[in-house]
Amino acid sequence: MIGGSSRSASAPPPFLLMESHGEGTRLPLRSGTVVLSRLHGGRSRMRSFAPSVKYVLEGEELYEIEGRTKRLRAGEFMLVEAGVEFEARTAGPGRTTGLCIYLGTGDGAAVAGDPTLGLGRALAGSRIDPLAATLGNYARLLADRPGAGPGLARRIVQEATIGVEDYLAAFANRLERLNCLKASTRIETLQRVERARCFLHDHAGRPVTLEEVSAHAALSRFHLTRSFSEVFGLPPLTYHRRLRLEGAARLLKSHAVTATEIAEQLGYASLSAFTRAFRGTFGVPPSKARDLA
């Protein structure tokens, strides 16, 4: 089943519903198109005529792009340059739900592959980036209410275009902080560092080891520590400790737990050890958490 229709000069951007593999080769995958896919196992070969951002709401999608495999899990997104031919695969028996937005190139959107950025034909995004949250909200809404798609398509394209521009600006800024010599090496390293940062956020509820993080990022402990510090200003375990303490501060400010309970949850040997760590990070003891901005 395919929803939507061809767009005239005054018509809103089309919204398309894709429920079987193979439909992608027949869809008008051009600027301003929003596609909600609800697919069981199979594969499709497609070519996009506009830069796009792809998001997986549930399940997993595999993309073969120029000989390389990109895996998108639930909550993750990817940017693809215009004109790229690719194969998309989903595995059964469960259904994979995804959202693909072909960006409004008339607004001058910067995209993966833009020669001024040199970011390549496809760029995997971080699920802890604000763009992932925006895409996820719209994907959930459309999955529940596909009939809302035609009325929301223009807004979705506009917000996704702005979100992609913001994401790429942040990515390019972080890229400049890496000291790798080759551009392709820097891009790959930064994406691995971002995977490490996602891992730290996903496991903010428990202590982690550097070995765990480096294995997840597929970087040696030395290269992970050096590159992570260059990009985010802190070594990964120091970043993780601050992340956990910031979560503790939010809980203390809301009176959800006591300092003793938080110390135990975070794995500190004693309340005094937690107090020292908290004071070292924020300059005040846990009892003053409500005074933090």
Side-chain angles (χ1 to χ4, degrees):
M1 173 182 173
I2 301 178
S5 59
S6 299
R7 177 171 44 158
S8 67
S10 59
F15 168 71
L16 304 166
L17 181 59
M18 179 176 169
E19 295 193 307
S20 65
H21 280 281
E23 287 181 316
T25 60
R26 301 189 298 273
L27 298 179
L29 304 179
R30 300 182 182 278
S31 170
T33 302
V34 177
V35 181
L36 176 70
S37 59
R38 300 190 297 198
L39 303 170
H40 292 281
R43 61 183 63 200
S44 294
R45 187 114 195 124
M46 290 178 279
R47 183 184 182 203
S48 58
F49 294 94
S52 62
V53 54
K54 305 179 186 303
Y55 176 86
V56 175
L57 178 64
E58 56 183 2
E60 182 177 283
E61 296 177 355
L62 287 172
Y63 289 88
E64 293 291 337
I65 300 176
E66 297 186 339
R68 301 189 68 181
T69 300
K70 301 277 188 180
R71 183 187 303 271
L72 289 189
R73 298 178 177 87
E76 297 179 338
F77 68 91
M78 178 175 67
L79 311 180
V80 181
E81 182 185 359
V84 173
E85 293 188 6
F86 58 89
E87 182 180 84
R89 304 199 309 270
T90 56
R95 188 173 68 181
T96 296
T97 303
L99 182 66
C100 185
I101 304 164
Y102 294 86
L103 302 175
T105 53
D107 299 327
V111 294
D114 186 320
T116 62
L117 296 176
L119 298 182
R121 304 285 276 173
L123 183 66
S126 167
R127 69 174 174 274
I128 58 176
D129 188 86
L131 177 56
T134 298
L135 297 171
N137 288 338
Y138 279 121
R140 280 186 290 273
L141 190 157
L142 294 177
D144 292 338
R145 296 170 48 212
L152 288 173
R154 186 180 302 279
R155 184 196 305 176
I156 292 173
V157 171
Q158 290 173 342
E159 291 193 20
T161 299
I162 293 170
V164 166
E165 290 174 338
D166 290 344
Y167 175 79
L168 287 175
F171 191 94
N173 181 270
R174 291 169 184 164
L175 203 61
E176 291 179 356
R177 302 174 193 170
L178 287 172
N179 291 322
C180 306
L181 296 178
K182 292 173 58 179
S184 59
T185 302
R186 289 191 297 134
I187 292 169
E188 181 60 31
T189 298
L190 180 53
Q191 291 193 90
R192 295 187 184 195
V193 166
E194 289 284 8
R195 285 203 294 272
R197 190 165 72 108
C198 280
F199 182 87
L200 297 177
H201 280 258
D202 287 345
H203 296 84
R206 67 166 177 87
V208 300
T209 66
L210 189 58
E211 288 76 11
E212 283 182 278
V213 187
S214 63
H216 185 78
L219 287 170
S220 71
R221 290 178 296 173
F222 170 77
H223 284 103
L224 172 64
T225 300
R226 184 187 68 182
S227 299
F228 198 102
S229 299
E230 288 174 350
V231 175
F232 297 110
L234 295 171
L237 295 191
T238 304
Y239 179 100
H240 188 244
R241 184 180 72 165
R242 183 175 183 90
L243 183 68
R244 300 180 76 211
L245 287 170
E246 287 173 346
R250 287 192 294 272
L251 289 173
L252 290 168
K253 289 169 72 173
S254 68
H255 302 285
V257 293
T258 66
T260 300
E261 291 170 331
I262 280 286
E264 183 176 348
Q265 289 177 18
L266 295 184
Y268 283 91
S270 64
L271 176 59
S272 60
F274 170 64
T275 300
R276 284 195 299 273
F278 196 95
R279 187 190 294 273
T281 298
F282 300 112
V284 298
S287 59
K288 298 292 185 182
R290 284 173 293 175
D291 297 336
L292 296 174

Short mmCIF file of all heavy atoms in Angstrom, two decimals, residues 1-5 15-24 26-28 34-39 95 142 145-148 150:
data_model
loop_
_atom_site.label_atom_id
_atom_site.label_comp_id
_atom_site.label_asym_id
_atom_site.label_seq_id
_atom_site.Cartn_x
_atom_site.Cartn_y
_atom_site.Cartn_z
N MET A 1 0.86 -1.20 0.00
CA MET A 1 0.00 0.00 0.00
C MET A 1 0.89 1.24 0.00
O MET A 1 1.82 1.35 0.77
CB MET A 1 -0.89 0.00 1.24
CG MET A 1 -1.69 1.28 1.43
SD MET A 1 -2.66 1.20 2.95
CE MET A 1 -3.29 2.86 2.98
N ILE A 2 0.60 2.20 -0.86
CA ILE A 2 1.37 3.44 -0.92
C ILE A 2 0.39 4.59 -0.79
O ILE A 2 -0.56 4.72 -1.56
CB ILE A 2 2.14 3.58 -2.24
CG1 ILE A 2 3.10 2.38 -2.39
CG2 ILE A 2 2.90 4.87 -2.29
CD1 ILE A 2 3.86 2.40 -3.67
N GLY A 3 0.65 5.46 0.21
CA GLY A 3 -0.20 6.63 0.38
C GLY A 3 0.41 7.82 -0.32
O GLY A 3 1.54 7.79 -0.77
N GLY A 4 -0.33 8.93 -0.38
CA GLY A 4 0.21 10.14 -0.96
C GLY A 4 -0.01 10.17 -2.46
O GLY A 4 -0.53 9.25 -3.08
N SER A 5 0.45 11.26 -3.10
CA SER A 5 0.28 11.41 -4.53
C SER A 5 1.38 12.30 -5.05
O SER A 5 2.17 12.86 -4.31
CB SER A 5 -1.09 12.03 -4.84
OG SER A 5 -1.20 13.29 -4.21
N PHE A 15 3.42 12.32 1.51
CA PHE A 15 3.69 11.34 2.56
C PHE A 15 3.39 9.98 1.97
O PHE A 15 2.32 9.75 1.39
CB PHE A 15 2.80 11.59 3.77
CG PHE A 15 2.83 10.45 4.76
CD1 PHE A 15 3.97 10.22 5.53
CD2 PHE A 15 1.75 9.61 4.91
CE1 PHE A 15 4.01 9.17 6.42
CE2 PHE A 15 1.77 8.56 5.81
CZ PHE A 15 2.91 8.33 6.57
N LEU A 16 4.34 9.05 2.08
CA LEU A 16 4.20 7.73 1.47
C LEU A 16 4.33 6.65 2.52
O LEU A 16 5.18 6.74 3.42
CB LEU A 16 5.28 7.54 0.40
CG LEU A 16 5.30 8.63 -0.69
CD1 LEU A 16 6.58 8.55 -1.49
CD2 LEU A 16 4.09 8.49 -1.60
N LEU A 17 3.49 5.63 2.40
CA LEU A 17 3.52 4.49 3.31
C LEU A 17 4.03 3.29 2.54
O LEU A 17 3.45 2.88 1.54
CB LEU A 17 2.13 4.22 3.86
CG LEU A 17 1.98 3.07 4.86
CD1 LEU A 17 2.86 3.28 6.08
CD2 LEU A 17 0.52 2.90 5.26
N MET A 18 5.14 2.71 3.01
CA MET A 18 5.79 1.60 2.31
C MET A 18 5.66 0.35 3.18
O MET A 18 6.19 0.30 4.29
CB MET A 18 7.26 1.96 2.07
CG MET A 18 8.08 0.89 1.37
SD MET A 18 9.75 1.54 1.07
CE MET A 18 10.58 0.03 0.57
N GLU A 19 4.94 -0.66 2.66
CA GLU A 19 4.67 -1.85 3.46
C GLU A 19 5.17 -3.15 2.83
O GLU A 19 4.91 -4.22 3.36
CB GLU A 19 3.16 -1.95 3.75
CG GLU A 19 2.67 -0.79 4.62
CD GLU A 19 1.29 -1.02 5.18
OE1 GLU A 19 0.39 -1.31 4.38
OE2 GLU A 19 1.12 -0.93 6.41
N SER A 20 5.89 -3.05 1.73
CA SER A 20 6.51 -4.23 1.16
C SER A 20 7.78 -3.83 0.43
O SER A 20 7.87 -2.73 -0.13
CB SER A 20 5.56 -4.95 0.21
OG SER A 20 5.28 -4.14 -0.92
N HIS A 21 8.78 -4.71 0.48
CA HIS A 21 10.03 -4.44 -0.22
C HIS A 21 9.80 -4.38 -1.71
O HIS A 21 8.94 -5.05 -2.26
CB HIS A 21 11.06 -5.53 0.11
CG HIS A 21 11.73 -5.33 1.42
ND1 HIS A 21 12.75 -4.43 1.61
CD2 HIS A 21 11.51 -5.89 2.64
CE1 HIS A 21 13.15 -4.47 2.88
NE2 HIS A 21 12.41 -5.35 3.52
N GLY A 22 10.58 -3.54 -2.37
CA GLY A 22 10.44 -3.36 -3.81
C GLY A 22 9.70 -2.10 -4.17
O GLY A 22 9.88 -1.54 -5.24
N GLU A 23 8.85 -1.61 -3.24
CA GLU A 23 8.10 -0.38 -3.52
C GLU A 23 9.04 0.82 -3.68
O GLU A 23 8.74 1.75 -4.40
CB GLU A 23 7.10 -0.09 -2.40
CG GLU A 23 5.91 -1.03 -2.40
CD GLU A 23 4.94 -0.68 -1.28
OE1 GLU A 23 5.38 -0.43 -0.16
OE2 GLU A 23 3.73 -0.67 -1.56
N GLY A 24 10.18 0.77 -2.96
CA GLY A 24 11.09 1.92 -3.00
C GLY A 24 11.58 2.26 -4.38
O GLY A 24 11.86 3.41 -4.69
N ARG A 26 9.87 2.31 -6.96
CA ARG A 26 8.80 2.98 -7.71
C ARG A 26 8.34 4.27 -7.07
O ARG A 26 7.48 4.96 -7.61
CB ARG A 26 7.60 2.02 -7.85
CG ARG A 26 7.95 0.72 -8.55
CD ARG A 26 6.69 -0.09 -8.87
NE ARG A 26 5.96 -0.46 -7.68
CZ ARG A 26 6.22 -1.56 -6.97
NH1 ARG A 26 7.21 -2.35 -7.33
NH2 ARG A 26 5.50 -1.87 -5.91
N LEU A 27 8.88 4.58 -5.88
CA LEU A 27 8.43 5.78 -5.20
C LEU A 27 9.18 7.02 -5.70
O LEU A 27 10.34 6.93 -6.10
CB LEU A 27 8.67 5.65 -3.69
CG LEU A 27 7.93 4.52 -2.97
CD1 LEU A 27 8.30 4.52 -1.50
CD2 LEU A 27 6.43 4.68 -3.13
N PRO A 28 8.55 8.18 -5.65
CA PRO A 28 9.22 9.44 -6.03
C PRO A 28 10.11 9.92 -4.89
O PRO A 28 9.74 10.79 -4.11
CB PRO A 28 8.05 10.40 -6.29
CG PRO A 28 6.97 9.91 -5.39
CD PRO A 28 7.12 8.40 -5.34
N VAL A 34 8.30 12.33 2.59
CA VAL A 34 8.38 11.64 3.87
C VAL A 34 7.85 10.22 3.67
O VAL A 34 6.74 10.04 3.16
CB VAL A 34 7.56 12.36 4.96
CG1 VAL A 34 7.60 11.57 6.27
CG2 VAL A 34 8.09 13.77 5.17
N VAL A 35 8.63 9.21 4.06
CA VAL A 35 8.25 7.82 3.87
C VAL A 35 8.25 7.10 5.22
O VAL A 35 9.27 7.10 5.92
CB VAL A 35 9.21 7.08 2.91
CG1 VAL A 35 8.76 5.63 2.73
CG2 VAL A 35 9.28 7.80 1.57
N LEU A 36 7.14 6.54 5.58
CA LEU A 36 7.06 5.66 6.74
C LEU A 36 7.07 4.23 6.23
O LEU A 36 6.22 3.84 5.43
CB LEU A 36 5.77 5.91 7.54
CG LEU A 36 5.54 4.96 8.72
CD1 LEU A 36 6.54 5.24 9.84
CD2 LEU A 36 4.11 5.08 9.25
N SER A 37 8.04 3.43 6.66
CA SER A 37 8.14 2.04 6.21
C SER A 37 7.78 1.10 7.35
O SER A 37 8.19 1.30 8.49
CB SER A 37 9.54 1.74 5.69
OG SER A 37 10.51 1.95 6.70
N ARG A 38 7.00 0.08 7.02
CA ARG A 38 6.62 -0.97 7.99
C ARG A 38 6.82 -2.29 7.27
O ARG A 38 5.94 -2.77 6.57
CB ARG A 38 5.17 -0.78 8.45
CG ARG A 38 4.95 0.57 9.12
CD ARG A 38 3.60 0.68 9.79
NE ARG A 38 2.50 0.60 8.86
CZ ARG A 38 1.25 1.01 9.13
NH1 ARG A 38 0.98 1.53 10.32
NH2 ARG A 38 0.30 0.91 8.25
N LEU A 39 8.02 -2.87 7.45
CA LEU A 39 8.46 -3.97 6.60
C LEU A 39 8.81 -5.21 7.40
O LEU A 39 9.41 -5.13 8.47
CB LEU A 39 9.71 -3.54 5.81
CG LEU A 39 9.57 -2.30 4.93
CD1 LEU A 39 10.93 -1.87 4.41
CD2 LEU A 39 8.60 -2.55 3.79
N ARG A 95 8.51 -7.15 12.46
CA ARG A 95 8.41 -6.02 11.56
C ARG A 95 9.39 -4.93 11.95
O ARG A 95 9.61 -4.67 13.14
CB ARG A 95 6.98 -5.46 11.57
CG ARG A 95 6.73 -4.39 10.51
CD ARG A 95 5.28 -4.00 10.46
NE ARG A 95 4.86 -3.28 11.67
CZ ARG A 95 3.63 -2.84 11.88
NH1 ARG A 95 2.69 -3.08 10.99
NH2 ARG A 95 3.33 -2.19 12.99
N LEU A 142 3.67 8.91 13.57
CA LEU A 142 3.18 8.40 12.29
C LEU A 142 2.90 6.90 12.34
O LEU A 142 1.99 6.41 11.68
CB LEU A 142 4.20 8.70 11.19
CG LEU A 142 4.40 10.18 10.86
CD1 LEU A 142 5.48 10.35 9.82
CD2 LEU A 142 3.10 10.83 10.40
N ARG A 145 -0.42 6.86 13.94
CA ARG A 145 -1.46 7.56 13.18
C ARG A 145 -0.97 7.89 11.77
O ARG A 145 -0.65 9.04 11.48
CB ARG A 145 -1.88 8.84 13.90
CG ARG A 145 -2.53 8.62 15.27
CD ARG A 145 -2.66 9.96 16.01
NE ARG A 145 -3.25 10.99 15.16
CZ ARG A 145 -2.94 12.29 15.25
NH1 ARG A 145 -2.07 12.70 16.15
NH2 ARG A 145 -3.53 13.18 14.47
N PRO A 146 -0.85 6.90 10.89
CA PRO A 146 -0.37 7.18 9.54
C PRO A 146 -1.19 8.23 8.81
O PRO A 146 -0.67 8.96 7.96
CB PRO A 146 -0.47 5.81 8.84
CG PRO A 146 -0.46 4.82 9.95
CD PRO A 146 -1.15 5.49 11.10
N GLY A 147 -2.49 8.32 9.15
CA GLY A 147 -3.34 9.30 8.49
C GLY A 147 -2.93 10.73 8.74
O GLY A 147 -3.32 11.64 7.99
N ALA A 148 -2.11 10.97 9.77
CA ALA A 148 -1.63 12.33 10.05
C ALA A 148 -0.47 12.73 9.15
O ALA A 148 -0.08 13.89 9.13
CB ALA A 148 -1.21 12.44 11.53
N PRO A 150 0.11 13.17 5.76
CA PRO A 150 0.03 14.24 4.76
C PRO A 150 0.01 15.63 5.38
O PRO A 150 0.61 16.56 4.85
CB PRO A 150 -1.27 13.92 4.03
CG PRO A 150 -1.43 12.44 4.18
CD PRO A 150 -0.92 12.13 5.55
#
